Amino acid sequence: MNPVGAGVPPADHAHQTDQADQAAAADTPESHAGGLAGPAAWAAELAGLRDQIAGFHERSAAQEDVIRRMQQRIEELQAEVARSFFAPVINELASLHADATQAAEAAEATAETFTAQRAHNELLAFLARVETCMEHLGVEPLAARPLDDFDSRTQTAVGTTPTADPRLDRRVARVVRQGFAPPGARRPTVYTRVVVYTHDPEHAPASAPEPAPALDGTPDMPPTIPLPDRSNER
């Protein structure tokens, strides 16, 4: 058998040997690393950066949501603290206002004219100071009076008084405790407690003041709708 390379001219054999050596030299780890540093590697790095930026945005959005919810909760707690702090004060002053009103009415009705009048005036001055205190707390009296139409939006019926006069039906017979509300509020802070007339044809006529006539001269008749009982609600 002819040896390998037999019949190949010396020049061609040398050229083939050089090409093989060059190919072997190119096929090294360094050459492979150098190839990865091209566009494919840059694209991989950019993709990684995009993932990191997306994760950062997600974390930032989550942190902003936590901060927003914490701020909302703080505001709710502040409102709850304010209500829990002022509500007992307002209720206590409302009861004090009712007691002073009843004392002033009792003093005016006594036979001792001078002393009763003086006590009455002093109690009225005391009432004015109480109302001023309530105004500082942001509420004012609802000024309910006897013979006013019963208004369930601002009043609570704590009792009823039968009357044979149909014109008195669903009118305020007596104010037990005055109500208080912020100016322009839709609901009062303290509801007015009243005793209300209810029409009963079989009841003996009671001595009660006549309701004020309407502008056209006819009695001001309230609507005949059932009287709600909210004595246990407020």
Side-chain angles (χ1 to χ4, degrees):
M1 296 180 60
N2 293 331
V4 177
V8 179
D12 292 340
H13 180 73
H15 178 69
Q16 293 177 358
T17 302
D18 292 339
Q19 289 180 343
D21 293 339
Q22 292 175 2
D27 190 16
T28 61
E30 291 78 10
S31 65
H32 288 288
L36 290 178
W42 298 340
E45 292 178 359
L46 288 175
L49 288 175
R50 283 195 297 268
D51 293 340
Q52 292 178 9
I53 293 173
F56 173 80
H57 285 310
E58 291 177 357
R59 290 190 297 271
S60 297
Q63 291 175 354
E64 290 176 358
D65 182 67
V66 170
I67 293 173
R68 182 167 52 254
R69 286 188 282 109
M70 290 179 61
Q71 181 65 28
Q72 181 179 358
R73 182 54 181 162
I74 290 173
E75 293 175 355
E76 292 174 354
L77 289 174
Q78 290 176 340
E80 292 175 2
V81 169
R83 285 193 298 268
S84 62
F85 179 79
F86 288 112
V89 176
I90 294 174
N91 277 282
E92 184 64 27
L93 288 176
S95 298
L96 182 61
H97 188 277
D99 294 340
T101 301
Q102 294 173 1
E105 294 172 351
E108 187 178 19
T110 59
E112 301 172 336
T113 307
F114 176 77
T115 304
Q117 185 62 40
R118 180 177 179 180
H120 175 68
N121 293 338
E122 290 179 353
L123 287 172
L124 288 180
F126 178 72
L127 285 175
R129 292 195 300 269
V130 172
E131 291 179 359
T132 300
C133 179
M134 301 288 274
E135 290 176 359
H136 288 315
L137 293 174
V139 295
E140 59 186 14
L142 296 176
R145 297 174 301 176
L147 297 183
D148 285 348
D149 291 332
F150 175 76
D151 187 354
S152 62
R153 296 171 300 179
T154 60
Q155 298 172 353
T156 296
V158 296
T160 59
T161 297
T163 176
D165 190 345
R167 296 174 299 176
L168 295 178
D169 188 42
R170 288 187 53 80
R171 290 184 181 271
V172 175
R174 181 167 61 91
V175 177
V176 178
R177 186 191 70 183
Q178 192 62 257
F180 292 83
R186 297 179 58 184
R187 297 183 60 184
T189 303
V190 177
Y191 283 78
T192 303
R193 293 180 179 176
V194 297
V195 176
V196 182
Y197 285 117
T198 56
H199 181 228
D200 183 2
E202 299 180 357
H203 185 74
S207 57
E210 294 294 326
L215 294 178
D216 58 0
T218 60
D220 184 13
M221 297 297 294
T224 56
I225 57 178
L227 175 66
D229 184 8
R230 293 187 172 86
S231 58
N232 297 324
E233 295 180 7
R234 311 180 183 95

